[in-house]
Amino acid sequence: MSKRNTQLRRHTILTQLNDLGEVSVDQLAEQFQTSEVTIRKDLSALEQSGLLLRRYGGAIPLPAEITSAEHNDKVSRQKQAIGKQAAQLIKDHNRIIIDSGRTTAAMIKQLSNKKGLVVMTNSLSVANQLNELESEPTLLMTGGTWDSSSEAFQGQIAEQVLRSYDFDQLFIGADGIDIDRGTTTFNELIGLSRVMSDSAREVIVMVESEKIGRRIPNLELSWKCVNTLITDDNLSEQVKQQIQAQGINVICAPIE
């Protein structure tokens, strides 16, 4: 089946999902006269793009508060606050990894006054922003296989490159935080994230407060791999204490 037909089918799936409130794999397979394996691939790709949530036998829409324009404006301010706070943890001449993502990218403008940084990333967007800094950090790229859903390089080559280095800090985002287990993600490509955490002496997770408590099936980093969680000051004291009980340093950045 052509790429255009695949895109059209996925667009139709999203339209039906918004109209009906849920879709099932078997019904979609019958409707499109294709295999259930193909439909599962469609749902997986749409979930990785943050457009729906999969559940057993089908999928449901993302909660409305996650997709509303008002919410996105609020998130933008949160990301800026988190990024500013994260940059304060970086010392001159540190060797750091910045994972792909809008929250991690929010820290880049704050690095202009940092001297002698060495920065590894798997994101072309992050790399381009780093390249514009007047401080001119030494830029390293993982290379690897391009993954359009995460807009980043993934795969074994990227993992091998990372294993060749050691870093002071990793800055990484998350789609959700399971308070009992650790960071979670829509993306099933979690191998590189774990290699990143293994390659850094300190792992800093950057995530907005409303994502904390969201249980997404794919566990990315368990709490034993994380040192610090940076979020915004909308986090409740009760939840903050629950995460601290896991041995995590929790920093709540003030939203300006």
Side-chain angles (χ1 to χ4, degrees), residues 6 11 23 29 46 64 86 114 178 185 218 240 242 252:
T6 298
H11 176 75
V23 292
L46 292 169
K114 306 291 183 180
D178 185 321
T185 180
N218 300 322
K240 179 180 179 180
Q242 287 179 291
C252 295

Side-chain angles (χ1 to χ4, degrees), residues 87 220 225:
E220 188 167 23
C225 300

Side-chain angles (χ1 to χ4, degrees), residues 182-183 203-205 221-229 247-249:
T183 73
V203 176
I204 298 110
V205 174
L221 297 179
S222 65
W223 284 131
K224 67 180 181 180
C225 300
V226 178
N227 302 100
T228 299
L229 173 71
I248 307 301
N249 176 34

Side-chain angles (χ1 to χ4, degrees), residues 9-122:
R9 186 178 63 247
R10 291 176 181 177
H11 176 75
T12 303
I13 289 172
L14 285 175
T15 300
Q16 292 186 10
L17 182 63
N18 291 330
D19 290 341
L20 302 175
E22 63 179 334
V23 292
S24 68
V25 171
D26 55 351
Q27 290 176 347
L28 291 172
E30 182 178 355
Q31 175 184 343
F32 293 107
Q33 294 295 295
T34 189
S35 69
E36 292 188 1
V37 171
T38 297
I39 297 300
R40 290 191 186 98
K41 289 181 179 178
D42 289 338
L43 297 181
S44 178
L46 292 169
E47 183 182 54
Q48 289 173 13
S49 297
L51 298 174
L52 54 75
L53 288 176
R54 292 185 66 186
R55 68 174 189 179
Y56 182 76
I60 59 175
L62 288 172
E65 66 269 16
I66 295 176
T67 56
S68 68
E70 180 180 354
H71 175 85
N72 287 337
D73 289 340
K74 179 182 177 183
V75 166
S76 178
R77 295 194 299 273
Q78 290 172 309
K79 291 181 191 300
Q80 293 174 14
I82 293 168
K84 184 176 181 179
Q85 191 71 53
Q88 295 178 18
L89 301 181
I90 301 174
K91 300 177 181 178
D92 289 346
H93 306 289
N94 269 16
R95 299 165 59 88
I96 66 175
I97 308 170
I98 302 179
D99 190 23
S100 61
R102 288 179 296 172
T103 306
T104 50
M107 69 186 292
I108 295 174
K109 290 183 179 180
Q110 306 293 330
L111 303 181
S112 292
N113 61 343
K114 306 291 183 180
K115 300 177 182 178
L117 292 183
V118 177
V119 186
M120 171 77 81
T121 185
N122 61 332

Side-chain angles (χ1 to χ4, degrees), residues 177-180 207-214 223 229 231-232 234-252:
I177 297 290
D178 185 321
I179 296 173
D180 296 323
V207 65
E208 301 94 329
S209 60
E210 64 263 31
K211 292 183 178 181
I212 297 175
R214 287 174 61 186
W223 284 131
L229 173 71
T231 187
D232 57 80
N234 286 326
L235 185 69
S236 71
E237 184 63 28
Q238 180 183 1
V239 174
K240 179 180 179 180
Q241 291 178 5
Q242 287 179 291
I243 298 174
Q244 289 174 326
Q246 301 285 350
I248 307 301
N249 176 34
V250 180
I251 301 174
C252 295

Side-chain angles (χ1 to χ4, degrees), residues 14 47 63 108 145 154 161 172 182 194:
L14 285 175
E47 183 182 54
I108 295 174
T145 302
Q154 305 281 351
V161 169
I172 187 170
R194 294 176 178 175

